[in-house]
């Protein structure tokens, strides 16, 4: 009998040794498997799957601690299918029992999960769980996240050996995570450098400002793995921003969206002159300043100012990742700031090019005006004198009348050319911007708020025949009409026409938007009506048959030398 007992004990020890050997072998395989990956998402997935397999747990999870150090910014699970995860709904954020290991980063083993004081219970549709094992993961002596394992198969409890195995795996996991992050950082840095070279080349080649901004936003969106990228710029004379460029998601709906500086994510970055982040866009009241549907399915976001400081901020780049993706880290913000600086440089270069083009235009105007005065007018005057002399030699009354009429036409042509010369030589620094220049500038700037460039046509002697008070009325009416279209029309096309005849000046604004609502506010239209009355003119507002609105504002012109 004694021999049998000894044989049984020997067999038990052999089995235990074999089990220990197999477990050590499994642990080594898990360590190798985890360390083999360089993609961070795959590393995290391998860690949680290996941990559940090593201790024979039915369910496993890995929670990544967010920048605040108190909640989970990312949560990966194993043992649950996608349908089960969808039924549970929102993933844990690190409260209750899961937050206990965040607050006290030590291994925690429980026979009954629900008996712990920090346990809050389970949400609806959550599978029942009894046993629990939690172990922190350290990366370079900092808590990266926690491993959570529940329901050891066979109804058994997690034992001290399970704790030892998972603790050993967590050490290897920390090394693997660190390697993956370093590799990811080096790859990202290489992509930033390539993108920077591409953008520098685009800047030096003289690409248009909006094209360079789109390139910057697109590369930032690709490298950071975001769902959307918006570039917002300040609206002159207001405390608001407008989305000039939108990529990803509902681009057309977001483009032209007006964003208040006060109380918004982009506004906070614009005012502070430094990046502003949020963990979840959908839960942040600062995003967006417009319809809430744009926040659906979005998670972490960052707003980066375009400039080198709060005093010269030219706009804001907003990037938002899908829900469940990791938050933006400090290591990601540094290259983004460099990118933002390039965007500000693109804007400044575009302004300098516009200034240079304006100078060239003014020089061309001077040359044209000089040629018209020195050549065209003199030749027309000489032709008129010749015709007047010839008229005395014509005996036929009808022919003489025609010659005199031609002389009168030449005089009128000379008067028109002289008015044109006066308009060409009018300088902003001497007489202020001409009406043509003001209208062109207002319509050009409206393209930012509208999200598309409006069409503009001008006819007649606007700079010479339209008096200053009437020109002021025209500009006020145009600004009001463009602002209303940007805010309320939701149009995709807008046409502005300005015409000066011998008797009146007529401003027409037509869009293909939603039209003028029957019960909408009429304060803006009332202002336009009052201005028409003050100028002695008329104002009409109506619908376009194919959809949209048509505004016509007119005022009489006097012929008293103005």
């Amino acid at each position: 009998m004694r021999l049998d007992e000894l044989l049984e004990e020997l067999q038990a020890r052999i089995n235990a040794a074999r089990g220990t050997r197999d477990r050590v072998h499994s642990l080594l395989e898990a360590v190798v498997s985890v360390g083999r990956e360089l993609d961070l998402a795959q590393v995290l997935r391998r860690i949680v799957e290996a941990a559940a397999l090593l201790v024979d747990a039915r369910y496993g999870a890995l929670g990544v601690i967010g920048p605040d150090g108190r909640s989970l910014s990312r949560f990966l699970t194993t043992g649950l299918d996608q349908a089960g995860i969808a039924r549970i709904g929102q993933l844990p954020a690190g409260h209750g029992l899961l937050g206990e290991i965040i607050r006290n980063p030590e291994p925690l083993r429980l026979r009954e999960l629900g008996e712990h004081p920090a346990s809050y219970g389970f949400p609806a549709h959550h599978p029942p769980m009894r046993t629990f094992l939690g172990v922190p993961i350290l990366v370079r002596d900092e808590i990266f996240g926690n491993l959570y394992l529940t329901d050891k198969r066979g109804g058994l409890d997690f034992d001290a050996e399970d704790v030892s195995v998972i603790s050993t795996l967590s050490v290897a996991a920390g090394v693997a995570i660190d390697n993956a992050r370093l590799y990811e950082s080096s790859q990202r840095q290489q992509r930033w450098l390539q993108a920077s070279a591409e953008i520098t080349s685009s800047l030096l080649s003289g690409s248009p400002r909006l094209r360079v901004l789109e390139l910057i936003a697109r590369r930032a969106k690709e490298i950071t793995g975001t769902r959307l990228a918006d570039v917002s710029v300040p609206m002159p004379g207001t405390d608001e921003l407008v989305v000039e460029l939108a990529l990803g998601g509902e681009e057309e709906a977001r483009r032209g969206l007006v964003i208040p500086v006060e109380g918004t994510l982009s506004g906070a970055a614009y005012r502070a002159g430094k990046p502003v982040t949020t963990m979840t866009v959908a839960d942040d009241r600062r995003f967006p300043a417009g319809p809430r549907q744009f926040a659906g399915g979005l998670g972490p976001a960052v707003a980066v100012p375009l400039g080198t400081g709060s005093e010269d901020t030219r706009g804001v780049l907003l990037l938002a990742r899908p829900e469940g993706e990791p938050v933006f880290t400090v290591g990601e913000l540094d290259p983004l700031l460099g990118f933002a600086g390039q965007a500000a440089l693109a804007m400044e270069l575009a302004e300098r090019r516009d200034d240079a083009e304006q100078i060239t235009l003014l020089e061309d105007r001077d040359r044209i005006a000089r040629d018209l005065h020195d050549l065209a007018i003199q030749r027309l005057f000489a032709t008129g004198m010749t015709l007047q002399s010839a008229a005395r030699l014509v005996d036929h009354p009808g022919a003489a009348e025609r010659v005199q009429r031609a002389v009168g036409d030449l005089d009128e042509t000379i008067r028109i050319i002289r008015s044109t010369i006066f308009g060409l030589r009018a300088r902003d620094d001497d007489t202020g911007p001409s009406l043509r220049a003001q209208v062109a500038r207002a319509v050009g700037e409206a393209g930012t708020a509208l999200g598309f460039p409006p069409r503009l046509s001008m006819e007649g002697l606007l700079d010479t025949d339209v008096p200053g008070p009437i020109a002021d009325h025209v500009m006020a009416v145009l600004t009001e009409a463009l602002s209303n279209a940007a805010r309320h029309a939701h149009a995709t096309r807008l046409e502005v026409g300005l015409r000066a005849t011998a008797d009146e000046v007529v401003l027409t604004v037509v869009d293909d938007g939603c039209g003028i609502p029957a019960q909408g506010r009429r304060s803006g239209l009332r202002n336009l009506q009052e201005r028409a009355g003050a100028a002695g003119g008329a104002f009409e507002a109506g619908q376009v048959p194919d959809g949209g609105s048509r505004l016509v504002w007119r005022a009489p012109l006097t012929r008293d030398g103005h």
Side-chain angles (χ1 to χ4, degrees), residues 26 41 48 78 156 164 199 289 408 467:
S26 298
V48 67
T78 184
L156 302 176
S164 177
I199 291 165

Side-chain angles (χ1 to χ4, degrees), residues 199-535:
I199 291 165
T200 301
S201 175
S202 181
L203 285 172
L204 295 177
S205 66
S207 297
R209 166 180 169 275
L210 192 59
R211 186 178 302 171
V212 177
L213 282 182
E214 181 180 358
L215 179 60
I216 291 172
R218 192 173 299 281
R219 293 297 176 263
K221 175 177 177 291
E222 293 171 354
I223 295 174
T224 57
T226 55
R227 176 175 291 178
L228 64 83
D230 289 350
V231 175
S232 303
V233 296
M235 294 181 66
T238 69
D239 196 25
E240 295 176 322
L241 304 173
V242 62
V243 178
E244 182 179 15
L245 178 68
L247 298 177
E250 302 177 48
E251 298 178 359
E252 295 296 330
R254 294 200 317 278
R255 191 178 298 120
L257 182 67
V258 177
I259 302 173
V261 171
E262 189 66 32
T264 63
L265 198 65
S266 295
Y270 176 77
R271 180 159 290 173
K274 59 183 180 181
V276 178
T277 61
T278 182
M279 293 182 63
T280 307
V281 164
D283 297 334
D284 197 319
R285 290 181 299 176
R286 298 175 297 176
F287 178 90
R292 289 295 302 175
Q293 70 263 22
F294 296 135
L298 295 179
V302 61
V304 185
L306 305 179
T308 57
S310 59
E311 298 300 323
D312 64 345
T313 302
R314 298 174 177 270
V316 178
L317 171 63
L318 177 70
L319 300 166
R321 284 176 171 149
E323 190 175 6
E325 290 294 311
V327 298
F328 287 88
T329 63
V330 176
E332 291 179 293
L333 295 184
D334 289 341
L336 271 176
L337 284 172
F339 242 43
Q342 285 188 306
L345 177 61
M347 292 179 171
E348 185 170 355
L349 283 176
E351 292 177 3
R352 297 296 176 266
R353 289 195 192 103
D354 289 342
D355 292 342
E357 290 173 0
Q358 184 68 18
I359 292 174
T360 302
L361 176 63
L362 292 175
E363 291 175 349
D364 284 344
R365 286 181 175 181
D366 282 345
R367 179 184 55 78
I368 294 171
R370 188 167 53 251
D371 291 345
L372 286 174
H373 183 273
D374 295 344
L375 299 176
I377 289 183
Q378 299 302 324
R379 300 190 71 163
L380 288 173
F381 185 75
T383 302
M385 294 290 292
T386 302
L387 288 174
Q388 282 183 325
S389 299
R392 291 193 295 269
L393 304 176
V394 177
D395 296 331
H396 192 281
E401 182 183 355
R402 289 189 179 185
V403 170
Q404 291 296 334
R405 192 183 308 147
V407 172
D409 290 341
L410 287 175
D411 289 340
E412 178 65 17
T413 302
I414 291 173
R415 188 188 72 81
I416 293 174
I417 292 177
R418 281 177 173 167
S419 297
T420 302
I421 292 173
F422 178 79
L424 288 172
R425 286 179 171 171
R427 299 296 186 101
D428 290 357
D429 54 356
D430 296 333
T431 62
S434 65
L435 179 58
R436 282 180 177 270
Q438 292 182 73
V439 171
R441 183 178 304 168
V443 173
E445 291 176 350
T448 300
L450 291 166
F452 58 88
R455 294 183 60 183
L456 172 63
S457 63
M458 292 185 282
E459 300 178 23
L461 302 177
L462 297 171
D463 295 335
T464 56
D465 286 2
V466 180
I470 299 297
D472 292 341
H473 280 303
V474 170
M475 288 307 304
V477 170
L478 176 62
T479 302
E480 178 77 17
L482 292 174
S483 176
N484 288 340
R487 291 172 179 270
H488 309 299
H490 305 292
T492 60
R493 189 181 73 254
L494 185 142
E495 298 180 3
V496 176
L498 183 61
R499 185 178 78 257
T501 65
D503 302 316
E504 64 177 358
V505 59
V506 182
L507 174 66
T508 305
V509 180
V510 182
D511 65 67
D512 65 346
C514 58
I516 303 173
Q519 305 300 325
R521 294 178 57 188
R522 297 282 174 163
S523 57
L525 298 180
R526 188 163 54 251
N527 291 339
L528 304 187
Q529 183 71 50
E530 291 174 355
R531 283 190 175 275

